[in-house]
Amino acid sequence: MLKINVNPALFALNFLPVQGELKKMLSSFAGKKLLVSIGGKTPLECRLNARATSIRGRGLRELVMQSGATVFTVTLGEDSVLYLIPDTERRPESINANEVTGASPSEMQPERKGENGKVAGGGGPGKKAETTEPPSSSGTGDGLYRKTAPALNKKAEKKAGRENTETFLLEQLSLFNDSYPVYNKAGQEQGRGKKSRASEMTGNAALHAGRQVSGCKGEIEKETVSAQTGAEPAAGQKVSAPPARSPAEQYRKYACSSEKAGNNAISPAKMPPLKVTFFPEEDAAVLKLAESGSSSPASDLYLHRQALSLWLSPGFEILLSLNAARDVQLLDYQLATVRHVLKNMRGRALLCDEVGLGKTIEAGLIMLEYLLRGLVRRVLILTPPSLVEQWRTEMQTRFNLDFITYDSSAFKSEPQPWATFPRIIASIDTAKREPHRDQVLNSQYDLVIVDEAHHLKKQRTQAHQLVSRLKKKYILLLTATPVENNLEELFNLITLLQPGHLEAASSFKRKYITRGDPFKPKNPENLKKLVREVMVRNRRSDTGVITAKRHAEVVEVTLSPEESAFYQRLTSFVRGYYSQGSGKITGGVNQFVLKTLQREVGSSIEAVLPTLAKIAASDSYPRPLRCLSETLAGQAGNVPQRAKAAALVRLLQKIPVKVLVFTCFRETQRFLAGMLRREGLAVAELHGGMRRLEKEENVRLFSENARVLVSTENGSEGRNLQFCNIMVNYDLPWNPMRIEQRIGRIHRLGQTKDVYIYNLSAAGTVEAHILELLDAKINMFQLVVGELDMILGNLKEKRDFEDIIMDIWAGTADDDGLKASLNELGEKLIEAKNHYLSVRELDDKLLGELLPGD
Amino acid sequence: MLVPDKLDLRSFITGYLERAGAVVEEAGYEVVEALLPDELASRFGEHIMLAFDYETAQENPSAAFITYGSPLLDTAARLAAGYGRYTVLYCPKQGFSQSRRFDREIAEKIKFLCCRPPRIVYQWVADHVFWCFYFHAAYCSHEKVEELLTVVMDGFTGLPSPDFFKWWDKVVPANEPQYQISQSECLPVPVLYKAACREAKKLAEERALALQGQVNLQVAREMSKVNSYYNQTLRDIEKKIAATEDAAKKERLAGQMSAIHADWRRREKDILERYAMEAELRLDHLVACHLPRVHIKLEVQHKDRLLNTTLLYNLPAGCLELPVCPLCRKSTARLVPDRENRLVCVNHS
């Protein structure tokens, strides 16, 4: 058997040098392909060059490095495969000529006669081997001189060797832990650079590289047989080396050490000692100022300290975001969750709080902490389409952060929006589709937040694939129901956070899923331990969240004959022009305009008048349409009564305390404010057209003197109105989530009284049917905060709820058809609700077992 | 450790811009307008409008919205950190009276063993400087924790003064000297710096140990995972070796085991290295605090010898400072004469 030293520095050039006896062994393969197997692994296809001085092969370097050895036992198998068995126990210096078994050098090397007829190379029986210069490339080496490094250009060797070795090792180390950032030589994270540890990884890489490149010296080991044995070999004597340690012996050694290591626990003594480093050269600049007396005023010191508060990153036991967040009343469990995710989970967590417990706040605080510490700059929030606006509002009002939404005009007009904007909120449905998908995957994000992450529970879905392939440092998955059908869904979610944390899918199934009962975990203790490292779940019963109840009442309103007639005429007009499922212009009018008209007439005549007037006056519409609009506008102006307004006044007269009146439209809001003032009520107003100071002033007015606040949804965004506990929906948005958001203005943390919601419902209108669906079918107003969103998310219909309603309303010609379609939608909502309830129950049971409250 | 207070972004940015020479004006609610000097204009433009509230930013589309994470805020913080690296503060003038009855306080606080009660020979007030060295400490392990480590050195004695801020924080310091008194001797700043470094090192080590303690659990967890994985892998290979008769296969598997073992050792070492703690201390800024102290020269009789010593009375703190043993350089309340006519602490008697 032959032993060779391998210098890893050579792998900068990606070839294995062939010298001496090895060259002899492989001489018949010169210029041909050669299979090389290292450490018993699958043979690699390599090639021996024509002069049989080097073997090159793709992957050869990596295999040698993975083996961790620099000495190999070489055998040429009968199958013409070259086997290299790593010998990690032997150090290069322990190899000596006595270990070379087989023929003596003279026998192995054919005699070559030089010019003088003498045998060249110093071989030959009885002859003392001489130390000579390195053998030339013509291969006259006598095999007794074993080079540990070829005579390469040292500079190139060092540079290439170190760089490539380091790069390779960095890659290998990054594979060990997906979440562990990889740093380049400058100590910066690859692809990003911010406040990273300067040299730890490179230190580690250098350490590993050091193990590999220790032989990179270009030295020649000069060994003589006589030097080893102390006597000249006798003529013909075979020089036999002591038997090399057999693989079985090696195995036994390793088995012992592995058993020994089996029960080990880290002892502090093994940790490298603490190193404290000072930088006197840098400090000299400050000392120089002191010595020269160049002092700054105290105001500069104050400015400096302020800047430091932005620069310093204290430990996570100090939460910087508490001071930076606005209007956030944190509960203890939320603080604990934020600290836990930052300190122990390192920003990769599954937040599974029950609905309504403030996962958004928790995620926002975690994000803000990272922002304040400079660890995060680019953030991507992926949510269902219905929640995009809600997230944008929350981020602005609570954290004063500007996020751009994917459907904004600025975003759409930018050629590379995903790479340009640092903070984006987008629908996951949009992000996973082309042409966005490629851009999203090519951009790097520091933090990705995925809301309603249970949509990622199946590994083969586009959404899961997208999130899995995103380039991110930190990731938060938010869902109240992580498991719906079986435990494998939990596996898929956790694998997004920490690949390999629950091992491979097959081993997870084998270890943790009970056959026949996909919800019953095997080895629950082990699974519990693993799950708790990545998941946080807070339960309503353990927390002191909103205790105030909701009470809803429908106030039936009968429209006056004129109002009813006008409503019918407008509805016919809309139905006449509406084309189901089409977003394009039909008959000269945009479907969105038709939907707006229908919504406006359900709010008030004052709301629909301006739109009709605009259509009538605009040349972009065809003449028949303009005439029709003008006629309708004229008829609207002649409607004398306002039944809903009268009902509102009667209602307000019965309620002696402060009331918040909501409407969708500015025109309705203006009309109501004026009308209520004429009735003698003290009224405050909020609408989107007001400046911030005006809004603050009106809220203050409402809290003090005014009895009624008439507000649009835009106007009340971000305003604390929980000092009021009574709300009237003058009109109803067609999107139930917007109704939920209205209620959330007063039914929130800090509300001490039960909340009463009055819904004005005019018979025969779309809104009356919506109310029937939401209240009667799914009891929407009694749902816990956040549950409506879960139910709507379970609807198989992927379209916007408003569009579904519009299609049903405008697409059916008669009442029977309308009733049937709405009933069908109602059944779907009930099914969605029941599905949500069953999933919630199962998750409670499963997660209650895996994550008992503590 | 300095804990950051709530930072008002607007006051910070306007403060920085004004300091840098910009002209800053209010342009509305939470909106400021600034004309920048040349060195900043190249970076931000000559004329900028900044909004500090998201709603106001929406109302003023031409204004840049400044919040955490904004590039302008990051740049401003970086540049502002260059100011105020050396500051001098003065204790305000209070009703300092030199004619205090120090003898009673001396008798209560300090014991001169084997001596007659000391006699005050004379006293005088001098201006002393306490040097506050603020080190930016970065503790690097698998995560980085940064904080300011403060070491206060008494310029006169050259000793650290850990209780300095207990009374200095009650003082409202002035930018200019409020009184004229003689300067006391003060050790050179480089000497004090070296002593401060020694002190800072001790503090850093304590803090690092505390942080390390938090990390040990994670280390143990990772090691246990790694060991369990490799043990399992090796056991699997052992089973395969035991199950096969093919020598070549046995050899290959043995080779695999050796590779796995090497990998295992490498992983362990990597984990230990990753969690190892390293502290980097850089002098961030320096504050020289001037305050008056009374020097009280005492005469102490021991047998037939008269020994002299000087005590210090801290006027702003209103307390007599314990003398320092000339041998061990530690404060002591009990002094005893030695053979060389020095008053030393009892440990050296």
Side-chain angles (χ1 to χ4, degrees):
Chain A
M1 283 200 295
L2 176 65
K3 283 197 187 289
I4 58 167
N5 293 342
V6 175
N7 187 343
L10 298 176
F11 288 93
L13 304 173
N14 208 19
F15 69 84
L16 184 67
V18 175
Q19 308 263 353
E21 267 129 318
L22 183 60
K23 189 174 175 183
K24 297 294 171 197
M25 190 190 286
L26 299 176
S27 55
S28 57
F29 290 88
K32 292 179 190 166
K33 282 189 186 163
L34 176 67
L35 292 173
V36 178
S37 167
I38 299 178
K41 295 198 177 163
T42 308
L44 267 179
E45 197 176 289
C46 303
R47 181 176 274 279
L48 183 63
N49 65 348
R51 292 182 301 178
T53 54
S54 68
I55 299 172
R56 287 176 189 270
R58 188 174 280 195
L60 189 60
R61 175 186 74 173
E62 284 79 9
L63 278 181
V64 169
M65 287 185 167
Q66 276 175 13
S67 71
T70 54
V71 179
F72 293 84
T73 305
V74 180
T75 45
L76 186 61
E78 286 176 12
D79 51 0
S80 301
V81 174
L82 186 71
Y83 289 102
L84 273 67
I85 308 289
D87 182 359
T88 54
E89 287 307 299
R90 311 302 294 273
R91 293 282 174 263
E93 49 276 17
S94 67
I95 305 297
N96 54 49
N98 289 338
E99 294 176 26
V100 177
T101 58
S104 69
S106 58
E107 287 175 354
M108 286 169 69
Q109 186 178 344
E111 284 185 14
R112 293 176 66 220
K113 292 194 177 170
E115 288 176 359
N116 55 7
K118 290 183 185 175
V119 172
K127 198 160 185 178
K128 188 170 179 178
E130 294 168 344
T131 59
T132 63
E133 291 303 309
S136 65
S137 57
S138 60
T140 54
D142 59 3
L144 292 177
Y145 296 101
R146 211 171 293 115
K147 282 172 79 171
T148 56
L152 295 172
N153 181 311
K154 282 197 179 172
K155 218 182 197 178
E157 170 196 292
K158 274 188 190 164
K159 184 170 182 253
R162 208 176 303 128
E163 278 175 1
N164 288 341
T165 305
E166 193 175 26
T167 309
F168 164 70
L169 285 169
L170 284 171
E171 285 164 9
Q172 291 301 304
L173 285 164
S174 75
L175 289 175
F176 288 145
N177 188 342
D178 179 63
S179 64
Y180 191 79
V182 177
Y183 299 85
N184 63 12
K185 277 184 90 163
Q188 293 176 328
E189 268 195 43
Q190 283 183 346
R192 309 171 197 130
K194 190 69 189 173
K195 289 189 183 181
S196 313
R197 287 187 62 195
S199 59
E200 296 80 359
M201 271 305 291
T202 46
N204 290 339
L207 177 76
H208 293 298
R211 288 174 61 116
Q212 309 292 339
V213 302
S214 55
C216 181
K217 288 183 188 117
E219 295 165 352
I220 303 166
E221 275 187 49
K222 297 177 189 175
E223 294 164 354
T224 64
V225 172
S226 58
Q228 297 301 321
T229 61
E232 291 180 8
Q237 179 188 8
K238 283 188 183 181
V239 178
S240 59
R245 190 171 287 188
S246 68
E249 285 177 55
Q250 290 177 25
Y251 147 69
R252 271 198 289 279
K253 183 191 185 305
Y254 298 137
C256 291
S257 59
S258 74
E259 277 163 9
K260 193 175 156 190
N263 297 326
N264 72 350
I266 179 68
S267 63
K270 286 188 186 177
M271 298 287 280
L274 169 70
K275 197 172 142 192
V276 180
T277 312
F278 286 90
F279 298 85
E281 300 85 18
E282 290 177 30
D283 298 348
V286 179
L287 297 176
K288 203 173 165 185
L289 289 173
E291 283 174 317
S292 63
S294 314
S295 65
S296 311
S299 54
D300 275 7
L301 176 64
Y302 180 61
L303 193 64
H304 181 94
R305 295 258 174 95
Q306 283 184 308
L308 273 184
S309 70
L310 286 167
W311 274 104
L312 286 179
S313 298
F316 287 119
E317 58 275 359
I318 297 172
L319 292 182
L320 306 175
S321 55
L322 297 181
N323 281 332
R326 311 187 328 178
D327 187 31
V328 173
Q329 197 179 339
L330 275 184
L331 298 169
D332 290 343
Y333 72 90
Q334 289 173 324
L335 277 175
T337 299
V338 170
R339 282 204 175 96
H340 185 50
V341 169
L342 292 169
K343 279 175 76 166
N344 303 324
M345 297 181 172
R346 288 149 74 182
R348 285 186 162 237
L350 183 53
L351 302 180
C352 293
D353 294 356
E354 287 183 359
V355 289
L357 291 191
K359 289 187 285 297
T360 310
I361 303 289
E362 289 167 1
L365 279 172
I366 293 166
M367 174 187 59
L368 194 56
E369 276 299 323
Y370 283 132
L371 267 169
L372 287 169
R373 289 156 198 272
L375 296 170
V376 155
R377 281 294 174 260
R378 289 179 53 77
V379 182
L380 174 64
I381 300 178
L382 294 172
T383 84
S386 57
L387 294 179
V388 167
E389 192 52 32
Q390 196 173 316
W391 269 91
R392 188 193 64 80
T393 310
E394 291 280 311
M395 292 299 109
Q396 279 187 340
T397 54
R398 297 196 195 275
F399 305 107
N400 204 30
L401 293 172
D402 53 338
F403 274 79
I404 192 162
T405 55
Y406 74 110
D407 52 2
S408 68
S409 50
F411 190 90
K412 286 179 183 170
S413 60
E414 178 65 41
Q416 300 271 338
W418 300 95
T420 305
F421 297 103
R423 289 190 279 267
I424 302 171
I425 303 175
S427 144
I428 193 164
D429 292 329
T430 301
K432 74 187 184 191
R433 285 198 298 263
E434 297 299 346
H436 303 287
R437 184 187 158 87
D438 282 342
Q439 274 197 41
V440 174
L441 291 176
N442 285 336
S443 306
Q444 293 209 332
Y445 300 99
D446 300 318
L447 171 64
V448 173
I449 301 175
V450 184
D451 197 9
E452 307 300 344
H454 47 268
H455 295 302
L456 309 178
K457 60 183 185 263
K458 288 194 165 51
Q459 221 175 35
R460 291 211 179 107
T461 56
Q462 277 189 314
H464 184 101
Q465 303 278 332
L466 174 80
V467 174
S468 169
R469 288 174 56 190
L470 279 173
K471 293 176 195 161
K472 66 247 179 223
K473 202 160 56 167
Y474 306 113
I475 173 168
L476 301 173
L477 303 179
L478 280 55
T479 173
T481 52
V483 182
E484 191 175 347
N485 297 306
N486 56 48
L487 270 175
E488 217 177 313
E489 291 166 352
L490 188 64
F491 169 85
N492 291 335
L493 285 178
I494 291 179
T495 302
L496 282 173
L497 301 171
Q498 306 266 12
H501 183 71
L502 297 177
E503 299 174 29
S506 52
S507 59
F508 176 80
K509 268 190 222 168
R510 200 176 56 241
K511 283 186 182 174
Y512 299 113
I513 299 183
T514 308
R515 236 185 221 187
D517 189 348
F519 267 96
K520 189 171 167 50
K522 257 194 305 189
N523 299 317
E525 287 305 316
N526 275 355
L527 184 60
K528 206 188 291 191
K529 217 168 29 167
L530 289 170
V531 163
R532 286 172 85 145
E533 286 175 23
V534 290
M535 190 196 285
V536 178
R537 179 168 171 87
N538 295 298
R539 307 178 67 154
R540 188 171 297 278
S541 53
D542 303 331
T543 65
V545 284
I546 307 168
T547 50
K549 291 191 180 60
R550 295 186 193 186
H551 304 276
E553 191 179 314
V554 176
V555 178
E556 302 273 358
V557 176
T558 308
L559 294 175
S560 66
E562 295 85 355
E563 282 176 312
S564 187
F566 176 75
Y567 188 89
Q568 294 302 328
R569 277 198 290 277
L570 191 98
T571 301
S572 303
F573 164 70
V574 168
R575 280 177 173 158
Y577 277 89
Y578 189 78
S579 175
Q580 193 167 353
S582 166
K584 297 177 191 169
I585 294 176
T586 309
V589 64
N590 190 298
Q591 304 300 295
F592 176 74
V593 171
L594 293 173
K595 192 166 82 176
T596 305
L597 277 173
Q598 190 68 63
R599 287 179 52 222
E600 282 171 342
V601 74
S603 174
S604 69
I605 287 178
E606 282 69 22
V608 78
L609 268 173
T611 311
L612 287 172
K614 210 188 275 186
I615 295 173
S618 171
D619 290 333
S620 57
Y621 292 105
R623 192 165 171 73
L625 180 64
R626 282 159 48 200
C627 289
L628 203 50
S629 300
E630 199 175 333
T631 311
L632 281 168
Q635 286 167 359
N638 292 332
V639 172
Q641 295 119 337
R642 301 286 185 270
K644 273 171 76 176
L648 176 65
V649 171
R650 285 195 298 274
L651 179 64
L652 289 175
Q653 281 164 354
K654 289 184 198 162
I655 304 170
V657 295
K658 291 186 193 294
V659 178
L660 170 60
V661 179
F662 264 116
T663 172
C664 295
F665 299 101
R666 174 79 179 90
E667 294 302 325
T668 308
Q669 185 268 333
R670 189 182 296 155
F671 160 70
L672 286 177
M675 190 256 318
L676 291 173
R677 283 194 182 104
R678 286 192 294 276
E679 293 290 331
L681 292 163
V683 177
E685 298 180 55
L686 277 180
H687 57 81
M690 283 176 159
R691 297 185 78 84
R692 184 187 161 100
L693 277 177
E694 285 179 275
K695 290 180 189 174
E696 298 290 342
E697 181 56 32
N698 273 274
V699 170
R700 192 193 57 77
L701 187 65
F702 182 47
S703 69
E704 288 172 7
N705 302 327
R707 198 162 85 74
V708 181
L709 174 65
V710 183
S711 175
T712 61
E713 281 146 31
N714 283 348
S716 61
E717 261 181 22
R719 297 277 151 346
N720 281 344
L721 300 171
Q722 62 261 33
F723 53 84
C724 169
N725 68 317
I726 298 182
M727 189 178 108
V728 176
N729 283 320
Y730 186 79
D731 52 33
L732 217 59
W734 289 11
N735 185 338
M737 286 309 301
R738 286 174 58 187
I739 305 173
E740 181 74 33
Q741 280 157 27
R742 282 185 183 184
I743 300 171
R745 298 279 189 270
I746 57 174
H747 188 232
R748 54 192 293 174
L749 212 58
Q751 178 57 262
T752 51
K753 301 176 189 163
D754 284 356
V755 166
Y756 293 86
I757 306 150
Y758 295 94
N759 300 305
L760 298 189
S761 171
T765 60
V766 178
E767 289 74 20
H769 291 290
I770 292 175
L771 210 48
E772 166 82 20
L773 269 177
L774 297 176
D775 194 17
K777 296 281 185 188
I778 61 169
N779 213 10
M780 175 194 145
F781 296 99
Q782 266 66 52
L783 291 175
V784 163
V785 168
E787 284 189 321
L788 175 66
D789 177 44
M790 301 296 297
I791 293 166
L792 293 178
N794 278 335
L795 264 187
K796 290 194 175 55
E797 290 266 13
K798 290 299 167 199
R799 289 179 297 150
D800 206 47
F801 198 83
E802 286 188 13
D803 291 335
I804 299 171
I805 293 289
M806 186 64 184
D807 284 349
I808 292 173
W809 177 258
T812 44
D814 54 34
D815 280 349
D816 290 338
L818 180 65
K819 259 194 185 139
S821 299
L822 287 171
N823 262 340
E824 200 185 318
L825 179 60
E827 292 306 315
K828 286 180 186 169
L829 280 171
I830 291 173
E831 196 187 315
K833 181 179 175 181
N834 289 338
H835 180 75
Y836 158 69
L837 289 173
S838 64
V839 168
R840 189 184 73 177
E841 201 184 312
L842 283 166
D843 272 0
D844 275 349
K845 191 173 154 215
L846 170 72
L847 297 177
E849 203 180 313
L850 290 179
L851 290 168
D854 53 11
Chain B
M1 188 187 78
L2 281 186
V3 175
D5 294 323
K6 178 171 180 168
L7 177 67
D8 181 356
L9 285 186
R10 187 167 143 226
S11 80
F12 169 67
I13 291 282
T14 50
Y16 163 68
L17 289 175
E18 282 169 349
R19 176 62 179 85
V23 176
V24 182
E25 270 182 11
E26 291 274 333
Y29 179 74
E30 294 287 314
V31 177
V32 300
E33 201 173 344
L35 271 174
L36 301 183
D38 292 337
E39 51 270 21
L40 290 181
S42 56
R43 234 185 259 269
F44 305 123
E46 205 178 306
H47 171 254
I48 52 169
M49 274 186 72
L50 306 172
F52 297 93
D53 177 81
Y54 76 92
E55 277 188 72
T56 315
Q58 284 170 339
E59 292 163 14
N60 296 276
S62 58
F65 179 43
I66 304 298
T67 184
Y68 296 104
S70 302
L72 192 145
L73 181 63
D74 288 347
T75 308
R78 191 168 44 81
L79 294 173
Y83 295 118
R85 298 203 74 191
Y86 169 58
T87 312
V88 181
L89 297 175
Y90 297 89
C91 186
K93 189 178 180 181
Q94 294 172 1
F96 302 145
S97 163
Q98 288 191 28
S99 56
R100 288 176 191 242
R101 294 298 305 272
F102 294 121
D103 48 359
R104 195 177 297 166
E105 209 167 327
I106 291 169
E108 280 170 11
K109 218 167 170 182
I110 299 167
K111 302 288 173 224
F112 291 91
L113 302 176
C114 309
C115 297
R116 285 176 181 267
R119 184 176 74 88
I120 296 174
V121 177
Y122 58 90
Q123 60 198 42
W124 70 101
V125 180
D127 184 55
H128 286 247
V129 186
F130 278 75
W131 294 86
C132 305
F133 291 85
Y134 291 88
F135 288 93
H136 175 240
Y139 303 96
C140 304
S141 176
H142 66 298
E143 280 168 348
K144 193 177 184 182
V145 173
E146 290 173 324
E147 61 187 25
L148 272 186
L149 264 186
T150 313
V151 175
V152 182
M153 301 301 294
D154 183 340
F156 182 71
T157 62
L159 294 175
S161 180
D163 296 334
F164 178 78
F165 287 108
K166 278 186 188 163
W167 51 268
W168 181 258
D169 281 347
K170 294 174 189 166
V171 160
V172 179
N175 279 340
E176 302 291 333
Q178 305 271 289
Y179 43 79
Q180 281 189 336
I181 49 177
S182 57
Q183 291 284 323
S184 72
E185 288 170 5
C186 186
L187 291 165
V189 173
V191 170
L192 292 171
Y193 165 74
K194 284 188 183 147
C197 286
R198 281 194 294 275
E199 202 55 34
K201 188 177 175 196
K202 280 188 225 162
L203 293 174
E205 281 168 353
E206 277 170 26
R207 180 83 173 112
L209 275 175
L211 291 171
Q212 183 76 72
Q214 292 168 13
V215 148
N216 279 345
L217 182 63
Q218 281 170 330
V219 173
R221 200 188 296 154
E222 268 205 54
M223 289 296 244
S224 138
K225 265 193 226 170
V226 163
N227 289 336
S228 143
Y229 168 74
Y230 281 105
N231 272 325
Q232 182 60 44
T233 310
L234 287 169
R235 270 197 284 274
D236 289 343
I237 296 182
E238 283 169 26
K239 281 183 193 158
K240 285 183 193 169
I241 289 177
T244 186
E245 298 297 328
D246 181 359
K249 191 172 178 183
K250 276 193 194 270
E251 203 174 300
R252 271 202 304 276
L253 288 170
Q256 238 179 38
M257 285 192 73
S258 69
I260 287 167
H261 197 79
D263 196 42
W264 186 359
R265 281 184 293 186
R266 213 171 23 241
R267 284 294 298 274
E268 278 186 349
K269 198 156 188 181
D270 186 36
I271 291 170
L272 291 176
E273 299 261 332
R274 193 184 338 144
Y275 284 98
M277 184 73 67
E278 201 178 300
E280 292 177 356
L281 298 179
R282 287 177 171 83
L283 183 60
D284 184 75
H285 62 283
L286 186 54
V287 180
C289 300
H290 287 251
L291 56 103
R293 282 205 277 193
V294 182
H295 291 240
I296 308 165
K297 186 156 185 182
L298 298 178
E299 198 175 68
V300 182
Q301 187 179 350
H302 168 66
K303 294 183 182 171
D304 58 348
R305 290 181 288 162
L306 280 175
L307 308 171
N308 286 318
T309 188
T310 304
L311 299 181
L312 291 172
Y313 185 89
N314 189 323
L315 278 172
C319 66
L320 185 71
E321 293 179 14
L322 293 177
V324 172
C325 170
L327 295 178
C328 63
R329 305 292 290 155
K330 284 187 183 160
S331 301
T332 177
R334 301 170 73 195
L335 292 166
V336 66
D338 70 353
R339 287 179 193 197
E340 286 159 35
N341 291 338
R342 294 177 298 197
L343 285 163
V344 298
C345 67
V346 295
N347 296 331
H348 295 105
S349 62

